[in-house]
Amino acid sequence: MQVRCLARKRPDLIPIEDSQIAGVFRRKAPDRDEHWWDDVRTVALDTQLTASGTTLWGHLARLRGEAGADHLPVLRVLDIIGWMHARRGLGA
């Protein structure tokens, strides 16, 4: 619960970490996954980790722009995509 409060207070810095997101990204239960924030940050910002020449952060920013949702922090785009997959039963 505390992580979700932090994510709401710091939407540019803290990714959502809950059971839905854990299932989609195949992570341990949120209360036992001490590396979640570091892993998201590393993957999202590392310029060496790219798909089709774009970092994860760049891809999420492009999706945000295409959706006309520039008011959202980039990390919230990742959270939204994770929740969409969880609701469709595509996670875990």
Side-chain angles (χ1 to χ4, degrees):
M1 185 77 86
Q2 181 181 4
V3 173
R4 281 183 271 180
C5 292
L6 280 174
R8 277 191 294 251
K9 291 178 182 179
R10 304 278 190 244
D12 294 325
L13 302 173
I14 308 293
I16 299 276
E17 179 184 358
D18 62 17
S19 60
Q20 296 294 318
I21 296 295
V24 169
F25 292 105
R26 295 183 176 99
R27 303 292 300 205
K28 293 184 223 173
D31 60 341
R32 295 191 326 242
D33 195 348
E34 66 277 2
H35 300 290
W36 172 245
W37 296 353
D38 291 332
D39 291 349
V40 170
R41 181 176 180 202
T42 298
V43 171
L45 299 177
D46 190 339
T47 59
Q48 300 301 312
L49 299 173
T50 64
S52 303
T54 303
T55 63
L56 175 60
W57 194 268
H59 181 67
L60 293 170
R62 183 179 57 78
L63 290 174
R64 178 185 67 174
E66 289 176 2
D70 289 328
H71 62 285
L72 292 174
V74 173
L75 278 178
R76 293 295 73 91
V77 176
L78 179 64
D79 298 332
I80 291 166
I81 292 169
W83 269 86
M84 288 172 65
H85 280 277
R87 291 193 74 194
R88 290 185 180 151
L90 300 174

